Amino acid sequence: MKAILALEDGTCFPGRSFTGECFAGGEAIFNTGMSGYQEILTDPSYVGQMVAMTSPHIGNYGVNEQDVESSRIFVEAFIVKECCKTPSNWRSVSSLPDYLIRHGVAGIEGVDTRALTRHLRIHGAQRGVISTSDTDDPAKLVQKARELPAMEGSNLAGAVTPTQPYAWDGARPKPVTIRPDGGYDWPGPGPRVAVYDFGIKWNILRLLAAQGLDVLVVPASYDADRVKKLAPEAIFLSNGPGDPAALTEVVHAARVLADSYPTAGICLGHQILGLAFGGTTYKLKFGHHGCNHPVMDVRTGHIAITSQNHGFCVDLGGVDGFATTHVNLNDRTLEGFAHLKKPVIAIQHHPEASPGPHDSRYFFKEFREMLSKELGR
Amino acid sequence: MPKRTDIKKIMIIGSGPIVIGQGCEFDYSGSQAAKSLKEEGYEVVLVNSNPATIMTDPELADRTYIEPIVPDIVAKIIAKERPDALLPTLGGQTGLNTAVSLAEAGVLDEYGVELIGASLPVIKKAESRELFRAAMENIGLKVPVSGICRTMDDVREWGRKIAFPIIVRPAFTLGGQGGGVAYNMEDLEAIARVGLAASLKSEIMLEQSVLGWKEFELEVMRDTKDNCVIICSIENIDAMGVHTGDSITVAPAQTLTDLEYQNMRDASVAIMREIGVETGGSNVQFAVNPADGEMVVIEMNPRVSRSSALASKATGFPIAKIAAKLAVGYTLDEIPNDITRETMASFEPTIDYCVVKIPRFTFEKFPGAQDTLSTAMKSVGEAMSIGRTFKEALQKGLRSLETGMPGLGKEFSRKFRDPQDILASLRNPSSVRLYAVREAIIAGIGVEDIHAASHIDPWFIRQLAEIVGMEDKLRSFALADGLAPNNPHCADMLRQAKELGFSDRQLAALWKRSEFDIRNLRKDSGVTPTYYLVDTCAAEFEAYTPYFYSTYETGKEIAPSDGKKVVILGGGPNRIGQGIEFDYCCCHASYALKELGVESIMVNSNPETVSTDYDTSDRLYFEPLTLEDTLSIIEFEKPFGVIVQFGGQTPLNLAVPLLRAGVPILGTSPDSIDRAEDRERFQALLRKLGLRQPANGTAMSFEAARNIAAEIGYPVVVRPSYVLGGRAMEIVYDEESLASYFKVAAVASPEHPILVDKFLENAIEVDVDALSDGTDTYVAGIMEHIEEAGIHSGDSACVLPPHTLSPEVVREIERQTVALAAELGVVGLMNIQFALKDELVYILEVNPRASRTAPFVSKATGVPLAKLATRVMLGEKIKDLDPWSKRRRGYLAVKESVFPFNRFAGVDVLLGPEMRSTGEVMGLDVSFGLAFMKSQLAAGQRLPLSGTVFISVNDQDKQAVLPAVEILRDCGFTITATKGTAAFLSSHGVPAKTVLKVFEGRPHVVDMIKNREIDLVINTALGKTTVRDSMTIRQTTLLYNIPYTTTVAGAKAMAQAVKEMIASGLEVKSLQEYYA
């Protein structure tokens, strides 16, 4: 079925829907990863975004039950050159089109994704709509794209954060009971970590658990006092979508908590910590979305190939008391920092990968070691 | 870390002649490395015996040794040059093995030479199956159950422990040579015996079969700071059981989930660390069980490889160049990515297209060899293609192969064989297996059944099914709808077909129109290709590298450049008769254009080559060399001219159609080419010039051929017109063989006449390369063949300058060359084959184009022929270029050919008019004997200086071989011979021991060869019976790697070489010294 991707600057890309009639809107971005579309689809950081894959053949290995990063698909729409209808992989339980249809998410193919990528690189990420109707009236669709909310200033984390705290059972979230006094009976022997879920990827939880940590996940709405009542021993700020600058309350909570607890942040969590300590954030022209970004750990000189997915970046210029720990070697943007005195570490990229290389997994070990040092266990 | 300053002089060992399993990819990697090290200010000493390589161009290194790549010779070069370091990882298995031998012999320690890139323990850990397996177990990776065997007893023992089928893999060999799959104990013993003999260390591994598992390969790079990146993942369409070199492969991997891919990536990095490869590129092969994802490690190469060349071309990431920089201490983050300019080499390329590599086979050249693919590599070349989708890339790749297939389908017949026969073809993969899959789809065999028989992943089968499905759609469209540019459905249909990679030729066949009708219809419908970049980053960064592929997308990414520009059409995939020599000429054309300030645009489809390095030309189009694809580029770029005379037969075949399409062809006009190739016109030309040709005629039928032969007298040479590399050419001695030729080899018809020439027995053949501007002609090189006429010029050894021709004959050859060039109006290069008999000069063939010998002559004389020819084609005059003043003298150069006989069991090694060599080497020295000795050594024949020579020659050769035998006797050799030969020799004063022929009882000659009681074999044969009788001798000789010759001239040259070698030994000398 004929479909059109219309961008706010008036550019249109023709394609075909492989999910039937559809209409979707969001920020159009591209991802350069060559594998891992299922992880991308289910990554809550992509809420509000329509993702175009630069790799032309998508869907080849279908969809399985294990490689999910959350309970559902979060991308607004999926744009590919060619979608495979009959997958081939021993773990596959469903085809990509069926998966998208089941979750009510639009998918289009036949798009010149290289032309689209070049367009976004040159003119920047922008709003767009995908539609199977009005394909003969692109101007109307462009207008609809212009009416969408802008990414800057949008609090999307609020839209994907859970309403209730939960724990992690090894494979999926597990409901918990918070005591009436606001306290929590931590079940495990490991260091107690309160994890803010701004749209967390499950692999972060899998890897935190693998470090022997006792994990309690809390919603973004929890302020510092509420978290303190839970009696955690450390704080972890997750990844998530949208503009960090829109999260003023969360930033405040992070500042307070990081003063009292060993704290770590990934991606949006990194940006929140940056803002909390007086840095600023700015929007990248077309963001970093892929699995091949080189990041140097400036403390060791070692380079990791990292999984990245962010549209905003931290600028710590002028803020004292911090050391840059990681730098992106492609564009020299900040990829990680540490407080010089306090046990606070953060990185912009995704050590949990999923999808992407596992090179940065040492971040979880570092977090664990930091806790051992602070907590003596 | 900055580069090392404690080393100043670095030696690079090349890979020697082109052989199966070791093609020109190592010229690509070696020349990249040499350039990049020189750029860093290091002094580079280079060793390679192959004169047709760019790396042996004297400008590329400070010292270039065209010497045999054998440990004792390389040791001499080390003693002379005293390099600080040796980089062993760029010259393929040959370079690596030589470095290992030098290290083990203590040569490197003695002269304080450091192995950089990979140390001795690392190489051994990666290459020895036992050490490798232990290392893998150490890091928790699985390898197939296996056992190392050094004796047949070991083989029998392990054969009882591992379940059949068992894979036999010899250690330290090329391309899995000597390996195979054994289904029972008897198979196992036979294969293992060959494998033990083929292995340099007499070591083979018996391995649990993972036949049918999916095969993957990852290209890894590591620097001194332990940073690792994966450059490319490659998935084989052919499952385990077909050698990777023979497999159709795809990049990136298509059927792995991210989890599976990352596990493989983690394993690759862990392997790099465990094996300890300090710096550079390696490849790791994996097999994955399609049923449950179980992954096992198959092998790793601690060096750049055929796959790393492919990965470089597939991604745009120059692995060899970066590997060289890493070896001298740089880290990945210190090396800029040329393509993006703003980012560094420390990243992983991501690609937004699909790359397909398809191997090229030449089974037709080796009667008796079976077209079945197994674990020993048999392909001689490969084509690579790029498309936005797999389907587009695959069909482009199939037409790039130049086997006559315009894509997956050709005539689109709906006929198919019995399904059981099709399934049998799928179970026994051959060079045409993909066409069998197409047939299976047409026959209605289901994807699962095709998969079960072929082990090809269903994803690929479904892709093929989509292409086949499109055939139907296209056919019914033409029936139902109108083919007209004003029909919008037609444009839509054309675009759909093009997106699936269909060629105009295929559409022409489907729609029963001419190719040009389709082309015009397509262009009028607005369906034309666009050109996209290979940029390592999927358009995430702006790219500066001018490396393009065509695709039927709608975006416009590049514009044709302004300024004066010239398109060079390359040679396509390597095959016998068309190899690296032509790529060498194309590269030189590009270099010459650069010197002239003219923009160069290269078109080629061969990923192994230097010409497809994005550094070589101003623009590179990685495209099939078909009329459609080249014309589209030419129409897009609108060049000043197109060079077709350097890339061999491939572009030459395009000359006339391109000219008809209005394309300006540079240099010698296509009409002149036709005058030289068309029999009648050529005869008229010779008559006009008063030149002599062997008596001949053209036959449209057997009867006509019989009459011609009767008239001119036997023996005659028969061959079809318009062939390359002596395809189906034969010398026949009587009517009976003539009749059988017509029955077996060729069908004559008015469209395809058979040429019949008088065969000049015992004539001396001479090859001449010349350069002409239409007015003046420079006779660049006169090469005297060592073997007598009748052996394909590409297969015979030759010497330059000629060493037995009289000055009068040389002058006459020169005179005739000049006259022919002037008459044909040659502008550029020309090659002529002469034959000398009884002091008379005959012309056998004239080719007004670059010949296979152009690089050899250039290296032997110091005159860069292809460069000068390019300048001449652009209007410069030979008088002004003055090649005469550049010519170097004072030494002899011997070219020897290298043959793939040891790859094809059951094929006779006798030389004939059909070309079968894959590569060549050059021996340089001050005397013929020493130069010949070097050429033999370089070609893998170490002539003995003492011991026993075995002689068996037919009656007419007995007198002729006598002088050679006398020399060998004087050198102290024991002479043994078959009864007749022995009697003849003894009666002529050379006592010889008699040895029994195979059918005369035992112990016979083959027993002696097997017992290694014979050190040299001289064996000529003529006529069908003797050929059959002596074949066993030659086969055994080959198997036991004993030096042999099958010609009297070869025997003479060998005897002289042995004599001179005993007298003076071998010394080494660089090209720069020869030229000084």
Side-chain angles (χ1 to χ4, degrees):
Chain A
M1 186 183 292
K2 199 179 163 195
I4 272 188
L5 163 65
L7 299 178
E8 62 176 294
D9 69 1
T11 313
C12 292
F13 291 86
R16 295 181 303 276
S17 167
F18 57 83
T19 53
E21 276 183 36
C22 63
F23 181 86
E27 185 184 41
I29 58 155
F30 61 85
N31 186 304
T32 61
M34 292 187 285
S35 56
Y37 52 84
Q38 194 181 351
E39 292 88 331
I40 289 169
L41 290 171
T42 53
D43 178 349
S45 295
Y46 284 106
V47 75
Q49 293 177 319
M50 303 194 295
V51 179
M53 300 302 289
T54 60
S55 191
H57 284 285
I58 299 293
N60 300 1
Y61 53 80
V63 169
N64 60 53
E65 279 160 353
Q66 298 83 36
D67 300 346
V68 287
E69 286 303 310
S70 69
S71 57
R72 65 174 177 96
I73 295 180
F74 278 91
V75 305
E76 302 297 332
F78 205 39
I79 305 162
V80 301
K81 168 67 186 165
E82 187 170 313
C83 172
C84 174
K85 318 297 184 298
T86 313
S88 167
N89 188 281
W90 64 281
R91 288 196 299 152
S92 172
V93 292
S94 161
S95 74
L96 177 59
D98 289 347
Y99 187 56
L100 288 171
I101 291 167
R102 203 162 62 240
H103 286 85
V105 173
I108 59 168
E109 66 174 335
V111 176
D112 186 341
T113 46
R114 180 169 175 90
L116 172 62
T117 300
R118 285 186 72 240
H119 187 80
L120 296 177
R121 180 189 86 218
I122 294 164
H123 303 284
Q126 50 190 297
R127 291 164 296 176
V129 296
I130 282 172
S131 175
T132 48
S133 52
D134 294 321
T135 52
D136 48 359
D137 188 4
K140 193 169 162 190
L141 297 174
V142 169
Q143 190 50 41
K144 283 187 178 165
R146 289 178 185 152
E147 286 161 10
L148 291 169
M151 185 54 74
E152 272 151 304
S154 67
N155 176 356
L156 290 172
V160 297
T161 191
T163 51
Q164 296 296 321
Y166 62 89
W168 184 250
D169 83 343
R172 54 198 63 255
K174 184 169 75 179
V176 293
T177 316
I178 302 297
R179 291 197 313 262
D181 66 354
Y184 172 58
D185 300 315
W186 296 81
R192 306 187 294 272
V193 183
V195 179
Y196 267 107
D197 177 352
F198 307 122
I200 198 165
K201 284 166 71 185
W202 284 358
N203 211 38
I204 292 179
L205 295 170
R206 292 179 193 119
L207 292 170
L208 287 173
Q211 289 294 336
L213 302 174
D214 200 1
V215 166
L216 178 68
V217 185
V218 301
S221 59
Y222 265 45
D223 61 15
D225 285 345
R226 236 173 139 182
V227 170
K228 281 182 178 176
K229 278 194 190 132
L230 298 166
E233 292 171 299
I235 307 293
F236 195 96
L237 307 173
S238 84
N239 64 298
D243 185 347
L247 308 173
T248 41
E249 282 166 26
V250 174
V251 169
H252 177 72
R255 175 64 208 240
V256 174
L257 292 169
D259 271 339
S260 323
Y261 301 98
T263 303
I266 287 177
C267 196
L268 183 69
H270 164 267
Q271 294 160 4
I272 289 168
L273 281 171
L275 290 170
F277 284 97
T280 54
T281 53
Y282 59 97
K283 192 170 193 306
L284 292 163
K285 190 175 177 187
F286 49 88
H288 292 179
H289 311 279
C291 299
N292 67 341
H293 285 250
V295 167
M296 183 185 272
D297 184 335
V298 294
R299 300 164 299 180
T300 60
H302 193 75
I303 300 162
I305 303 300
T306 65
S307 179
Q308 303 228 341
N309 176 26
H310 57 276
F312 293 85
C313 229
V314 175
D315 183 358
L316 272 185
V319 181
D320 286 338
F322 283 91
T324 296
T325 54
H326 297 80
V327 171
N328 187 308
L329 294 180
N330 279 349
D331 60 5
R332 296 272 148 194
T333 51
L334 182 70
E335 286 284 354
F337 59 82
H339 198 286
L340 289 175
K341 300 212 174 69
K342 294 186 207 300
V344 175
I345 55 173
I347 52 171
Q348 178 62 69
H349 49 279
H350 290 270
E352 79 283 6
S354 277
H358 301 157
D359 295 6
S360 306
R361 281 197 174 166
Y362 67 89
F363 182 78
F364 293 97
K365 208 167 141 231
E366 262 185 40
F367 180 55
R368 180 68 183 86
E369 280 163 3
M370 185 172 91
L371 296 189
S372 299
K373 210 172 128 204
E374 293 296 320
L375 309 174
R377 63 187 171 95
Chain B
M1 223 171 287
K3 70 181 178 207
R4 289 175 63 173
T5 50
D6 58 328
I7 49 178
K8 306 233 158 14
K9 202 179 203 180
I10 302 172
M11 179 184 248
I12 298 175
I13 304 179
S15 68
I18 304 302
V19 294
I20 290 177
Q22 209 159 252
C24 50
E25 63 269 17
F26 297 110
D27 185 29
Y28 164 65
S29 55
S31 47
Q32 263 199 353
K35 266 198 282 186
S36 115
L37 292 177
K38 268 195 85 151
E39 220 170 77
E40 295 297 333
Y42 293 102
E43 222 181 303
V44 175
V45 179
L46 203 140
V47 191
N48 196 349
S49 54
N50 186 343
T53 49
I54 293 292
M55 73 193 289
T56 53
D57 274 349
E59 306 81 41
L60 239 76
D62 297 278
R63 283 279 182 266
T64 309
Y65 286 87
I66 301 191
E67 299 282 5
I69 307 176
V70 292
D72 45 331
I73 296 288
V74 180
K76 283 189 180 187
I77 300 170
I78 290 175
K80 191 173 154 195
E81 290 290 341
R82 310 301 297 266
D84 302 305
L86 169 60
L87 183 51
T89 52
L90 296 158
Q93 200 65 39
T94 302
L96 204 65
N97 288 352
T98 308
V100 167
S101 302
L102 289 167
E104 285 179 337
V107 175
L108 300 186
D109 284 344
E110 185 186 344
Y111 294 101
V113 184
E114 181 187 344
L115 273 180
I116 56 173
S119 66
L120 185 62
V122 166
I123 299 172
K124 295 184 98 171
K125 210 167 171 184
E127 297 274 314
S128 149
R129 305 281 173 187
E130 236 162 23
L131 294 175
F132 184 70
R133 192 180 49 185
M136 291 307 98
E137 278 163 8
N138 221 14
I139 49 175
L141 292 173
K142 279 189 242 175
V143 290
V145 180
S146 61
I148 305 287
C149 306
R150 297 201 176 79
T151 65
M152 287 308 291
D153 284 341
D154 294 348
V155 170
R156 284 174 207 115
E157 196 187 321
W158 278 103
R160 282 188 290 272
K161 284 187 201 160
I162 308 171
F164 285 98
I166 293 174
I167 301 200
V168 181
R169 291 177 183 272
F172 288 94
T173 67
L174 301 172
Q177 180 194 328
V181 183
Y183 290 89
N184 54 49
M185 194 54 106
E186 195 185 325
D187 278 3
L188 181 65
E189 293 214 11
I191 299 169
R193 193 167 284 121
V194 176
L196 283 169
S199 167
L200 201 67
K201 297 279 163 79
S202 291
E203 180 182 303
I204 58 170
M205 181 168 73
L206 305 189
E207 190 178 76
Q208 161 205 351
S209 163
V210 284
L211 291 179
W213 288 29
K214 307 207 291 185
E215 193 171 351
F216 296 88
E217 202 165 332
L218 260 54
E219 299 297 319
V220 200
M221 298 209 81
R222 186 182 190 213
D223 69 16
T224 50
K225 282 206 270 185
D226 189 29
N227 296 311
C228 289
V229 292
I230 308 292
I231 305 307
C232 192
S233 63
I234 300 174
E235 177 165 359
N236 291 9
I237 294 181
D238 296 291
M240 289 295 295
V242 175
H243 190 278
T244 308
D246 285 353
S247 292
I248 300 175
T249 64
V250 182
Q254 295 293 339
T255 64
L256 290 177
T257 63
D258 186 64
L259 189 72
E260 291 165 332
Y261 171 70
Q262 299 302 342
N263 285 341
M264 209 173 264
R265 184 184 180 280
D266 290 348
S268 303
V269 172
I271 292 168
M272 283 298 265
R273 292 184 178 139
E274 175 63 24
I275 298 297
V277 177
E278 293 96 339
T279 69
S282 297
N283 67 341
V284 188
Q285 263 168 271
F286 297 94
V288 172
N289 187 341
D292 59 9
E294 182 186 354
M295 179 179 87
V296 296
V297 182
I298 301 299
E299 64 168 24
M300 78 98 70
N301 285 306
R303 55 171 174 88
V304 303
S305 61
R306 183 176 43 256
S307 340
S308 62
L310 181 71
S312 298
K313 302 291 165 70
T315 60
F317 188 102
I319 293 175
K321 178 181 169 173
I322 305 291
K325 301 231 191 242
L326 297 178
V328 295
Y330 283 112
T331 51
L332 285 162
D333 55 312
E334 293 170 333
I335 306 167
N337 177 351
D338 294 341
I339 293 191
T340 60
R341 291 189 193 159
E342 53 183 300
T343 59
M344 294 293 165
S346 54
F347 79 114
E348 299 194 345
T350 183
I351 63 186
D352 59 357
Y353 44 81
C354 193
V355 176
V356 175
K357 177 225 52 175
I358 311 181
R360 177 69 150 83
F361 298 91
T362 47
F363 287 109
E364 72 279 6
K365 289 271 181 185
F366 301 94
Q370 270 195 327
D371 181 356
T372 47
L373 308 186
S374 178
T375 54
M377 182 169 163
K378 289 174 182 149
S379 61
V380 293
E382 60 193 30
M384 182 184 104
S385 58
I386 311 176
R388 278 278 283 161
T389 62
F390 171 74
K391 295 176 280 282
E392 185 177 40
L394 180 78
Q395 294 226 70
K396 281 174 84 174
L398 288 170
R399 65 184 192 258
S400 297
L401 274 189
E402 295 172 47
T403 51
M405 292 301 291
L408 186 62
K410 186 183 183 185
E411 278 137 14
F412 299 102
S413 134
R414 308 299 290 172
K415 275 186 271 178
F416 50 84
R417 291 172 289 163
D418 182 79
Q420 285 313 316
D421 293 343
I422 302 174
L423 286 170
S425 306
L426 294 176
R427 278 184 210 107
N428 302 293
S430 73
S431 63
V432 294
R433 61 213 177 284
L434 270 198
Y435 307 117
V437 175
R438 176 180 176 272
E439 196 183 358
I441 293 166
I442 292 172
I445 300 173
V447 170
E448 284 311 315
D449 291 334
I450 297 174
H451 166 67
S454 66
H455 301 300
I456 296 174
D457 190 280
W459 188 82
F460 294 110
I461 299 170
R462 289 199 184 93
Q463 293 284 317
L464 294 176
E466 281 184 47
I467 295 174
V468 176
M470 190 67 189
E471 293 174 10
D472 288 337
K473 224 170 133 184
L474 287 166
R475 203 191 331 261
S476 48
F477 174 81
L479 290 175
D481 228 313
L483 295 179
N486 54 7
N487 175 359
H489 298 294
C490 184
D492 187 47
M493 210 63 214
L494 277 165
R495 185 162 287 281
Q496 281 186 42
K498 283 299 179 185
E499 283 177 357
L500 267 63
F502 280 84
S503 64
D504 286 354
R505 264 181 69 196
Q506 284 176 298
L507 294 176
L510 275 163
W511 287 347
K512 312 228 173 339
R513 300 286 175 95
S514 77
E515 183 182 345
F516 259 87
D517 284 347
I518 300 293
R519 185 176 188 84
N520 290 333
L521 174 69
R522 182 167 60 71
K523 283 165 67 183
D524 292 343
S525 308
V527 181
T528 53
T530 187
Y531 295 96
Y532 274 3
L533 259 82
V534 171
D535 63 3
T536 70
C537 63
E540 187 177 8
F541 301 97
E542 188 172 356
Y544 298 89
T545 311
Y547 175 7
F548 313 122
Y549 66 95
S550 74
T551 183
Y552 280 82
E553 288 277 26
T554 46
K556 295 268 175 286
E557 191 164 349
I558 60 159
S561 54
D562 322 318
K564 187 171 180 181
K565 55 195 169 183
V566 167
V567 167
I568 304 160
L569 298 184
N574 280 1
R575 55 267 199 200
I576 287 170
Q578 173 131 353
I580 188 173
E581 299 82 6
F582 295 112
D583 197 68
Y584 174 91
C585 292
C586 292
C587 291
H588 273 243
S590 184
Y591 302 151
L593 291 171
K594 201 163 280 181
E595 286 168 16
L596 293 169
V598 176
E599 195 185 319
S600 53
I601 297 172
M602 184 71 68
V603 185
N604 202 359
S605 60
N606 182 345
E608 305 173 63
T609 59
V610 178
S611 71
T612 51
D613 184 346
Y614 64 77
D615 255 2
T616 298
S617 303
D618 291 307
R619 285 190 164 202
L620 166 65
Y621 286 87
F622 211 107
E623 287 286 290
L625 287 154
T626 66
L627 182 63
E628 173 186 348
D629 298 282
T630 54
L631 202 50
S632 294
I633 295 165
I634 292 164
E635 284 172 356
F636 177 70
E637 286 281 359
K638 302 190 176 55
F640 162 78
V642 177
I643 295 179
V644 298
Q645 61 167 266
F646 285 155
Q649 204 63 38
T650 294
L652 217 57
N653 289 342
L654 295 174
V656 173
L658 286 176
L659 189 74
R660 280 194 200 123
V663 174
I665 305 289
L666 292 183
T668 311
S669 75
D671 181 62
S672 292
I673 296 172
D674 187 62
R675 248 179 113 190
E677 285 191 346
D678 181 275
R679 184 84 149 177
E680 311 274 310
R681 295 185 74 191
F682 185 59
Q683 278 180 355
L685 174 89
L686 292 184
R687 268 197 302 275
K688 184 175 169 195
L689 295 175
L691 302 180
R692 193 176 292 109
Q693 182 182 34
N696 64 73
T698 304
M700 314 287 180
S701 65
F702 165 63
E703 289 68 32
R706 189 178 54 192
N707 293 340
I708 295 165
E711 193 189 317
I712 63 182
Y714 287 95
V716 293
V717 187
V718 281
R719 67 188 148 123
S721 55
Y722 283 92
V723 291
L724 180 74
R727 277 289 303 119
M729 191 191 254
E730 217 170 275
I731 298 166
V732 295
Y733 287 84
D734 47 42
E735 197 176 308
E736 191 191 337
S737 344
L738 186 70
S740 92
Y741 174 81
F742 272 79
K743 255 187 230 120
V744 179
V747 181
S749 71
E751 294 81 47
H752 302 285
I754 299 289
L755 310 182
V756 184
D757 287 77
K758 171 79 187 163
F759 175 59
L760 303 173
E761 275 182 291
N762 295 318
I764 298 176
E765 205 168 319
V766 174
D767 246 84
V768 173
D769 277 328
L771 171 66
S772 181
D773 59 12
T775 314
D776 291 301
T777 297
Y778 166 65
V779 180
I782 300 180
M783 290 153 276
E784 178 179 345
H785 286 205
I786 291 170
E787 286 86 4
E788 39 295 85
I791 287 162
H792 192 279
S793 67
D795 279 358
S796 56
C798 67
V799 53
L800 181 159
H803 70 143
T804 68
L805 305 187
S806 67
E808 293 74 36
V809 166
V810 170
R811 269 197 297 278
E812 177 57 17
I813 287 174
E814 286 178 341
R815 185 191 72 78
Q816 296 195 7
T817 303
V818 171
L820 279 163
E823 179 57 30
L824 281 169
V826 170
V827 179
L829 291 175
M830 173 172 76
N831 169 270
I832 309 176
Q833 282 161 31
F834 293 98
L836 293 177
K837 192 169 165 74
D838 308 326
E839 291 294 299
L840 288 179
V841 176
Y842 293 83
I843 290 173
L844 300 180
E845 213 177 302
V846 175
N847 294 301
R849 58 167 167 95
S851 69
R852 215 171 283 114
T853 43
F856 170 74
V857 173
S858 300
K859 293 278 156 65
T861 63
V863 180
L865 285 180
K867 267 192 190 173
L868 295 182
T870 307
R871 301 186 81 114
V872 164
M873 280 188 251
L874 279 137
E876 288 189 66
K877 292 289 156 206
I878 288 184
K879 254 199 303 240
D880 304 323
L881 294 168
D882 192 13
W884 291 275
S885 69
K886 297 187 177 78
R887 184 176 192 128
R888 299 291 182 265
R889 288 191 168 80
Y891 50 88
L892 284 101
V894 173
K895 186 202 86 168
E896 179 58 288
S897 307
V898 176
F899 300 89
F901 296 130
N902 53 1
R903 296 262 164 191
F904 298 104
V907 171
D908 200 351
V909 303
L910 275 185
L911 302 182
E914 171 131 10
M915 180 168 168
R916 296 191 290 181
S917 61
T918 53
E920 66 190 68
V921 292
M922 174 157 114
L924 279 174
D925 217 306
V926 290
S927 74
F928 171 73
L930 295 177
F932 184 81
M933 178 60 96
K934 282 185 176 174
S935 75
Q936 297 306 298
L937 205 48
Q941 285 226 102
R942 189 175 280 272
L943 299 183
L945 301 182
S946 62
T948 302
V949 54
F950 167 75
I951 301 156
S952 172
V953 295
N954 54 52
D955 285 342
Q956 63 205 78
D957 288 335
K958 288 193 166 78
Q959 188 65 43
V961 85
L962 191 58
V965 181
E966 285 169 345
I967 293 174
L968 290 172
R969 176 202 57 195
D970 295 346
C971 291
F973 278 82
T974 305
I975 313 290
T976 61
T978 45
K979 201 162 67 194
T981 308
F984 175 85
L985 291 174
S986 300
S987 71
H988 287 76
V990 184
K993 277 194 241 173
T994 303
V995 181
L996 295 181
K997 287 184 187 170
V998 175
F999 58 85
E1000 290 174 337
R1002 303 186 79 158
H1004 51 55
V1005 57
V1006 170
D1007 294 320
M1008 286 186 72
I1009 294 172
K1010 286 183 176 172
N1011 292 332
R1012 302 198 180 270
E1013 289 162 2
I1014 286 171
D1015 305 287
L1016 179 64
V1017 172
I1018 298 170
N1019 179 213
T1020 71
L1022 193 67
K1024 290 244 149 43
T1025 340
T1026 39
V1027 167
R1028 246 196 327 272
D1029 287 348
S1030 51
M1031 183 159 154
T1032 335
I1033 298 177
R1034 292 188 292 274
Q1035 289 283 300
T1036 318
T1037 307
L1038 191 68
L1039 189 63
Y1040 285 79
N1041 200 19
I1042 291 168
Y1044 70 91
T1045 179
T1046 59
T1047 65
V1048 169
K1052 285 184 188 160
M1054 279 182 174
Q1056 194 177 340
V1058 168
K1059 184 177 150 193
E1060 287 185 28
M1061 174 80 176
I1062 290 171
S1064 67
L1066 287 181
E1067 289 309 320
V1068 294
K1069 203 166 166 183
S1070 71
L1071 220 48
Q1072 287 80 3
E1073 290 169 278
Y1074 279 117
Y1075 289 175

